Amino acid sequence: MSNKIPVQNIDPQDATTAKVKTVELYEARKKIYVKEITGVFQKVRSFSLWFLMGMYFLFCWISVDGQQLVLFDLPNRKFHIFGATFWPQDFVLLSWLLIICAFGLFFITTLFGRVWCGYTCPQTVWTFIFMWLEERIEGSRNQRMKLDQASMNKQKALKKAAKHASWLFVAFATGLTFVGYFYPVRELVPDFFTLDISSGWAYFWIAFFTLATYINAGWMREQVCLYMCPYARFQSVMFDRDTLVVSYDLNRGEPRGSRKRSADPKEVGLGDCVDCGMCVQVCPTGIDIRDGLQYECIGCALCIDACDSVMEKMEYPKGLISYTTEQKLEGKDSKLLRPRTIGYGLALVIMMSAFAFKLGTRLPVELDVIRDRGALFQTNARGYIENAYTLQLMNMSDQVRTFVITVEGMDGISISGKSEFTLEPSEIRSIPMAVEAKPSALTERSHDIVFKAQAIDDTSVKIDSESRFLGPAPVKF
């Protein structure tokens, strides 16, 4: 099946004129040699990238009261996050969190375009780390191009080997750290190097993420952003004429052309763009921002730093390429607050408030009640009507707790037998329990009742669970 589709472009000046061109849905990788540049936005990104990398590699090593700061303990179905323990029953919180992240991304994109891609995307983070290593080992852009064109020799082989060894080291550290969020990392590292890991899956996932990081950030860095990333495809629908994006000032820059530094652009009939190509050389996706906004642009602003450095040398005003809006480029006022941003912002505030409320009122105890379906009811030795239940009581905290079980909903209803239970941290206990009531209290065949569990050491830790109490039909005179 062909991977090409014909696209018809209609000339707006002449609707009868049509051109057909072929657009590649996928192309083989064309290596992009990115030139290193310094500047304001590069400093901001360097800070954000190193900060995020530090979080990723350090959080699994930090412990709070002997518990790893972030640990997804799948075998025990517990998730320790910043000192709090979550259970599968708390997955609704995860759903809310994912929705909040989605709306946050929509909100930020509507305001500032693809700043997520340029400054915080994991693909960008690891790609820039790999590019930094490549620059240090193989040299500048021109040196790397010459090295790739040269025939294989000892120097080239050593540089290539050193580069790929450094990439594999970072990739391995990434894979090992990732698994360290699911397997206690202080046990994982010694167990890995002593081949003492009990589960072979740990070796598999370390190898998988090592290989995935090495390939994605090293060999497929351009392909991921150009073809594999879904965000690049749908983010344009969140843009409008007031979205702040990296743009080239066409009116100021054109017509472009080279000239002497001392030449006056107006006298030679040129714009401020000297056509040096620096904006293309520093772009990690290889586009020319002067051709207009393109879906490949990740908003990294490297072209802004490169262009500003040239403008500074030419003693021209900076900002030929800048973060701006389509409205400003046309000389119109741009609005930060508009219906779309207000809508996303309100939705984000509401969901974050609901999430915070749910998180703040979350109780570290769970109670489920199951009626014994083997017998509807029975009469005990005291002549009382008795129902049997099984209570599933879970202590979701990290401390030993004693709970008192009570039942309400009918006059004189009570628990027959023990009603106080001590549970270890994270313990789940099935408790058989009998509940009795006087026959005279039964006005219906079925009554709604409520079981309550309350911690002795903390009265705020309590939970209810509804059930039904069954008995014989009341006698009517």
Side-chain angles (χ1 to χ4, degrees):
M1 182 177 177
S2 174
N3 65 340
K4 300 180 180 181
I5 57 173
V7 177
Q8 190 176 35
N9 292 335
I10 306 299
D11 188 346
Q13 301 296 329
D14 184 2
T16 62
T17 302
K19 297 180 180 179
V20 177
K21 68 176 182 178
T22 299
V23 177
E24 293 283 353
L25 295 182
Y26 179 82
E27 292 183 353
R29 182 198 180 204
K30 297 177 182 178
K31 185 175 180 179
I32 297 174
Y33 296 89
V34 180
K35 183 180 179 65
E36 188 176 39
I37 192 70
T38 58
V40 174
F41 295 104
Q42 177 63 6
K43 290 178 181 178
V44 172
R45 180 175 34 265
S46 296
F47 172 80
S48 69
L49 298 190
W50 286 114
F51 178 75
L52 292 171
M53 289 282 282
M55 290 173 55
Y56 176 78
F57 284 108
L58 293 178
F59 272 13
C60 61
W61 288 96
I62 300 175
S63 296
V64 178
D65 296 330
Q67 178 61 58
Q68 189 169 310
L69 187 64
V70 179
L71 177 64
F72 305 100
D73 190 353
L74 296 181
N76 295 314
R77 295 183 289 278
K78 294 189 295 183
F79 310 97
H80 306 281
I81 303 175
F82 300 111
T85 301
F86 297 90
W87 298 78
Q89 292 88 337
D90 297 313
F91 271 1
V92 63
L93 295 176
L94 176 61
S95 301
W96 282 6
L97 186 60
L98 293 176
I99 294 173
I100 289 171
C101 291
F103 272 86
L105 184 61
F106 299 159
F107 180 67
I108 293 297
T109 302
T110 303
L111 288 175
F112 307 115
R114 293 181 66 179
V115 292
W116 157 262
C117 294
Y119 295 90
T120 56
C121 174
Q123 175 66 23
T124 301
V125 173
W126 267 264
T127 293
F128 272 82
I129 295 298
F130 277 38
M131 288 167 55
W132 183 84
L133 291 170
E134 188 175 50
E135 183 90 18
R136 297 300 172 273
I137 295 172
E138 294 188 354
S140 65
R141 178 176 183 269
N142 291 336
Q143 290 174 328
R144 296 199 305 274
M145 294 173 68
K146 291 180 180 178
L147 183 67
D148 285 350
Q149 293 171 1
S151 57
M152 183 58 68
N153 54 42
K154 182 179 180 180
Q155 183 182 17
K156 180 176 180 177
L158 288 175
K159 286 187 175 181
K160 291 294 182 182
K163 180 185 74 173
H164 288 285
S166 66
W167 284 2
L168 283 170
F169 175 78
V170 173
F172 170 72
T174 301
L176 187 67
T177 302
F178 185 86
V179 175
Y181 284 99
F182 297 86
Y183 186 119
V185 72
R186 296 179 186 274
E187 301 174 14
L188 174 66
V189 172
D191 288 353
F192 177 85
F193 288 104
T194 58
L195 302 179
D196 194 32
I197 296 179
S198 57
S199 174
W201 284 107
Y203 290 109
F204 169 80
W205 287 115
I206 291 172
F208 176 84
F209 283 102
T210 297
L211 188 61
T213 304
Y214 173 68
I215 293 175
N216 287 347
W219 291 94
M220 297 179 61
R221 60 179 69 155
E222 302 91 351
Q223 306 300 85
V224 171
C225 290
L226 296 181
Y227 298 106
M228 297 172 63
C229 177
Y231 180 54
R233 303 294 179 176
F234 70 77
Q235 48 85 24
S236 61
V237 302
M238 292 177 278
F239 284 13
D240 56 32
R241 295 172 62 83
D242 292 294
T243 300
L244 202 65
V245 294
V246 177
S247 302
Y248 167 70
D249 191 341
L250 193 69
N251 296 325
R252 176 185 160 188
E254 300 298 323
R256 70 187 75 155
S258 59
R259 80 294 302 268
K260 293 181 179 180
R261 183 181 301 182
S262 58
D264 187 343
K266 295 181 179 179
E267 292 181 359
V268 295
L270 296 173
D272 284 356
C273 179
V274 299
D275 202 19
C276 61
M278 283 286 289
C279 55
V280 181
Q281 295 178 27
V282 300
C283 180
T285 57
I287 66 170
D288 190 341
I289 195 63
R290 296 172 296 179
D291 294 337
L293 181 64
Q294 298 146 72
Y295 82 89
E296 298 95 336
C297 177
I298 63 173
C300 65
L302 283 174
C303 55
I304 297 179
D305 286 335
C307 186
D308 283 350
S309 67
V310 175
M311 293 295 103
E312 189 175 4
K313 292 177 181 178
M314 296 297 295
E315 298 181 354
Y316 295 166
K318 296 180 180 180
L320 179 60
I321 301 176
S322 63
Y323 279 113
T324 187
T325 68
E326 192 175 344
Q327 294 277 50
K328 285 186 177 180
L329 288 176
E330 295 176 357
K332 302 176 183 178
D333 292 334
S334 184
K335 298 178 181 179
L336 179 66
L337 296 178
R338 45 200 191 274
R340 184 181 296 186
T341 57
I342 293 174
Y344 283 141
L346 286 176
L348 194 58
V349 169
I350 292 172
M351 288 186 293
M352 290 177 66
S353 300
F355 179 80
F357 175 78
K358 180 66 176 178
L359 194 62
T361 57
R362 171 180 171 270
L363 294 174
V365 59
E366 187 76 18
L367 177 65
D368 292 321
V369 178
I370 304 172
R371 278 197 87 261
D372 183 3
R373 299 184 182 275
L376 295 180
F377 63 90
Q378 64 181 5
T379 303
N380 61 20
R382 299 174 58 191
Y384 283 28
I385 304 300
E386 187 176 273
N387 283 201
Y389 302 85
T390 299
L391 275 61
Q392 294 280 354
L393 184 62
M394 178 188 299
N395 178 17
M396 301 168 65
S397 67
D398 294 324
Q399 64 188 64
V400 178
R401 277 218 160 100
T402 300
F403 294 92
V404 174
I405 309 296
T406 58
V407 61
E408 298 177 359
M410 293 175 57
D411 291 337
I413 192 169
S414 62
I415 294 173
S416 177
K418 184 179 179 181
S419 62
E420 188 173 302
F421 304 92
T422 300
L423 275 67
E424 296 295 322
S426 305
E427 182 183 354
I428 303 173
R429 185 179 299 183
S430 294
I431 304 172
M433 184 166 289
V435 175
E436 62 181 16
K438 293 181 179 181
S440 59
L442 299 174
T443 58
E444 302 289 343
R445 291 182 62 93
S446 174
H447 289 263
D448 294 331
I449 61 174
V450 178
F451 285 87
K452 295 186 175 183
Q454 179 173 314
I456 292 179
D457 63 329
D458 188 348
T459 57
S460 65
V461 180
K462 56 184 178 180
I463 191 171
D464 301 344
S465 184
E466 296 181 353
S467 188
R468 302 183 73 82
F469 188 90
L470 304 180
V475 179
K476 297 182 179 180
F477 299 96

